[in-house]
Amino acid sequence: MVLNYQNIGTRTIPGFPTNRSLNQESLPADTSVEGACIEARLSPTVMSPQEKAAFPEYAARNANIYLALRNRILMLWFINPQREVTVEDAAKIMEREELMNSELLAGIWFFLSRRGIINHGVFEVKGSDHAKHTNVKGKKILVVGGGISGIACANHLKYLGFEVKVVEAMERFGGRVLSLRMKNGRGEAATADLGAMIVTGLPGNPINTLSKQFKIDLKKIKNECPLYVDGKEITKAIDTKIETVFNKILEAVAKVKKSDKLKDRDVSLGAVVEKVLENQRRACTEAYINHQKRIEKKHEHLYSLETEGSKLIMQIAETNQEIIELEQKDREATDNNTKCIYIYHINKTKVELENFIKKFREIEKKKATITDEIKQLEKNPPPAEFLNFFEYRLLYWHIANLEYANSAEINDLSLKNWDQDDAFEFPGPHFAVKDGYDTVIHSLVDHAKGVPPPGMPKKNGENSGHGQTKAVEFQWGHSVRKIEMKTNKTAVTLRDLSKEKQGQENTNQEGEDDADTTEEFDAVVCTVPLGVLKAEKIDFIPPLPEFKKASIERLGFGNLNKIVMHFEDRFWDDRVDMFGTIGPTPNSRGEFYMFWSLNKKDPVLVGMFAGSSADIAETVCKDVVIRRAMMLLKEIFGQGKVTFTKLKRSEVTGWKRNPFIRGAYSYIKVGASGRDYDMLSLPVENENTGIFFAGEHTMRKYPATVHGAYLSGLREAGRIADKFGKAFYRTNTSEKDDT
Ligand SMILES: Cc1cc2nc3c(=O)[nH]c(=O)nc-3n(C[C@H](O)[C@H](O)[C@H](O)COP(=O)(O)OP(=O)(O)OC[C@H]3O[C@@H](n4cnc5c(N)ncnc54)[C@H](O)[C@@H]3O)c2cc1C
């Protein structure tokens, strides 16, 4: 089994370096314009819809001039993303006189920089102060939610010159990016990711840029995945057979998707997969019956030939007898005339005899051919059933894998749109973050707080890593209860959860809770997960527009859970990074359908619960889950090797029951589409203030991922800068995203 997270098949760009990471020394060998544009998710030769909207006069006539300037700026950032690219830097590299259009150059720089296409993450600011140019100083923005989208947004807003505060309900930052650190006896920590774990392709992925800015070590994931069933590894032949069947099913499903019958309605992916399976079963039974019928027909033909042959034998015997009698009569005849007549009859009868013998031989030949054909048919019958029970179990493992990628049951997924984001997947191998994915969060938080990046000295009087801008204020343990958009400001009511815990829920004379405080901001960015929006845990005043409410309802928010097991030593094959296990029935397909072994320093296994098993895992107690996992591992690797005494620590996640997350990530439910992501990304605003939305559930092209959430944060920072800052190009804050 060869496998990829969230995709079936991997697209690669030949020759594009994929393992580029870390520091200056390992800067990419590829410094081509194409490389820079891939990294920026832009075409080197075509302006994106957003670029066209911002620079319409160039889109209409002089796109080449725009692209030449834009591509050079992208190149500077691509070559060294550890230092800010300034307008002055860009001007310096414009060699050709005709390209020197300083107004356009500044416009492009602001466009790229505000949106975080360049100058995002953790980098040294050289002095081009957005605040100075765009007059946003003193504008206060609140970011609700300290997940990757919120932190990316806050960090970028700070760079753009805003005063920013992040409020997080939990006692930690990172949201669905959370790494567990366990004592490993060497004074270090054995890590495992409880939430996001995989960087899905590097070219174009902003996490790749972050990995070059600060030290995050990426480990390439090998995609072989042995499968175990009833304690034994399955053979390559059966593995390949079932994988082929699964791919054919997906091909058949893709054809159904395009059919006219489904032009105006959506159905569930699961229903169509079941229908395709039913058709395959029927086709298989029909093929088997037809095969039997062909054998029967051949037997009938053989029988008729045998009858004909028997008749010919009789005719040969009779004709032979006739010849003997005629020859006798010829010998007895005395006159020549009579003899001549007999000789004529003898010759004629002999010709008849030869014809009979010839026919008989032909029939014998035909009989031999048909007998052979019958033997061949009997030897190679088509399968009497499409798949046997064992093979079905294997097939359902692939369905569990698809359910994992979507954090949803196959029956809940939209046939039409479940894979709408496939075209935007980044190419190349997938990676894990060696020391835990939340190192990315910590680095970004440090930077936003003003801690200079490693190796960069703190300048005199500087209080942040972004020139003179104010450090982001981080507040945790406070949940946002109400967001009220007024004429000039947006008021936010926060609840101090520590006070709530202490039972101080007394209401004061104004009818407000003692644990609640209200603050006003110029704008608010709401990054809470879709699960929280669905549960209506935040009171929006005025209520969210109907189109937004409808999209919140239509999109799905699924579940996915993990068990982390830290053992004393490794009993599994360490050469692989993952192995799959086949559930006893198709319905139990998602329970421990896969174990990851990505930590090569410490013996840590991470087991997965996908589809309906993810919810079930949250309803049973941790001990039961651990016992079931141990039973399964013992079955595969032997009772002696897998013992409870060797299990040092274990954790089971419960993403759905977390009141501030309520699931794993968004998916396209039956009836929903990619447009719902666009709707969720649109701000609610008036001339002076507004509520902006970020988070993985607002990214049509990259939903359900860390990089998608990160990019959504940058997008909203850019949108806010366009709203409050000086215009250097045509702006429209309700434009859709085209990152
Ligand atoms: C088990 C699992 C595995 C995953 N695997 C991968 C993977 O391998 N690769 C990948 O790219 N992605 C993966 N993902 C998805 C990825 O983690 C998310 O898409 C991404 O982290 C979402 O970031 P976000 O900022 O949109 O939301 P979040 O990280 O959820 O941040 C939102 C924050 O808002 C806070 N909040 C909620 N309500 C309030 C409130 N009222 N007031 C204040 N704060 C509030 C929450 O506490 C949370 O911290 C996985 C997710 C899960 C759960």
Side-chain angles (χ1 to χ4, degrees), residues 29-98:
D30 180 353
T31 49
S32 65
V33 170
E34 285 74 21
C37 290
I38 287 173
E39 209 72 344
R41 301 163 300 283
L42 289 169
S43 157
T45 51
V46 182
M47 287 171 78
S48 74
Q50 252 193 351
E51 290 179 306
K52 283 181 185 167
F55 300 91
E57 58 284 19
Y58 287 91
R61 262 169 292 128
N62 292 318
N64 282 350
I65 295 185
Y66 174 92
L67 290 167
L69 296 179
R70 179 255 263 170
N71 291 350
R72 276 156 203 248
I73 299 175
L74 293 182
M75 279 281 288
L76 286 177
W77 177 246
F78 182 52
I79 290 167
N80 186 3
Q82 290 180 319
R83 303 185 80 197
E84 183 189 26
V85 173
T86 62
V87 195
E88 294 74 36
D89 293 333
K92 270 187 228 150
I93 58 153
M94 299 302 157
E95 306 134 8
R96 296 201 337 251
E97 193 66 14
E98 71 269 26

Side-chain angles (χ1 to χ4, degrees), residues 540-564:
F540 288 95
I541 300 174
L544 291 178
E546 285 308 317
F547 76 85
K548 242 184 199 306
K549 284 192 193 162
S551 290
I552 290 171
E553 166 73 30
R554 259 196 306 270
L555 271 185
F557 194 64
N559 199 12
L560 179 66
N561 273 307
K562 293 183 176 180
I563 176 172
V564 172

Side-chain angles (χ1 to χ4, degrees), residues 5 144-150 167-170 174-177 194-198 478-480 527-529 532 538 560 562 655 660-661 664-665 695-696 704-706 709:
Y5 169 81
V144 182
I148 184 86
S149 62
V167 61
E168 165 58 50
M170 293 197 272
R176 282 167 271 172
V177 179
L194 297 171
M197 182 166 70
I198 299 162
H478 285 67
S479 79
V480 167
T527 76
V528 302
V532 174
I538 296 176
L560 179 66
K562 293 183 176 180
W655 285 105
F660 302 112
I661 305 288
Y665 39 82
E696 59 84 14
T705 58
V706 174

Side-chain angles (χ1 to χ4, degrees), residues 142-154 157 176 524-533 540 548 677-684 691-700 702 705-720 737:
L142 179 76
V143 176
V144 182
I148 184 86
S149 62
I151 288 165
C153 185
L157 281 169
R176 282 167 271 172
V524 172
V525 187
C526 177
T527 76
V528 302
L530 179 59
V532 174
L533 292 175
F540 288 95
K548 242 184 199 306
Y677 287 102
D678 285 341
M679 296 299 109
L680 290 183
S681 75
L682 293 179
V684 177
I691 309 169
F692 295 77
F693 294 85
E696 59 84 14
H697 57 283
T698 67
M699 287 300 283
R700 183 184 193 145
Y702 313 105
T705 58
V706 174
H707 56 264
Y710 181 83
L711 289 173
S712 76
L714 299 182
R715 179 195 65 209
E716 292 315 304
R719 215 194 290 261
I720 290 170
D737 159 59

Side-chain angles (χ1 to χ4, degrees), residues 192-256:
D193 280 308
L194 297 171
M197 182 166 70
I198 299 162
V199 182
T200 52
L202 294 186
N205 194 332
I207 306 299
N208 187 28
T209 308
L210 298 182
S211 81
K212 287 182 229 158
Q213 292 177 331
F214 47 88
K215 177 134 178 78
I216 48 172
D217 239 348
L218 297 178
K219 179 212 172 305
K220 188 167 151 186
I221 300 174
K222 293 182 227 152
N223 52 9
E224 332 54 291
C225 176
L227 297 180
Y228 291 91
V229 63
D230 304 329
K232 290 187 193 73
E233 188 177 339
I234 64 164
T235 63
K236 193 120 201 92
I238 182 88
D239 191 358
T240 311
K241 176 184 165 185
I242 302 303
E243 198 186 348
T244 311
V245 169
F246 180 68
N247 286 336
K248 283 206 172 132
I249 290 172
L250 289 185
E251 276 167 29
V253 166
K255 274 191 198 148
V256 176

Side-chain angles (χ1 to χ4, degrees), residues 311-334:
K311 242 194 226 163
L312 282 168
I313 288 174
M314 295 278 288
Q315 281 168 325
I316 289 166
E318 278 166 17
T319 318
N320 210 22
Q321 185 58 35
E322 209 180 313
I323 292 169
I324 293 168
E325 281 168 15
L326 284 171
E327 280 174 344
Q328 180 64 30
K329 283 184 183 157
D330 173 46
R331 274 194 299 277
E332 287 165 9
T334 48

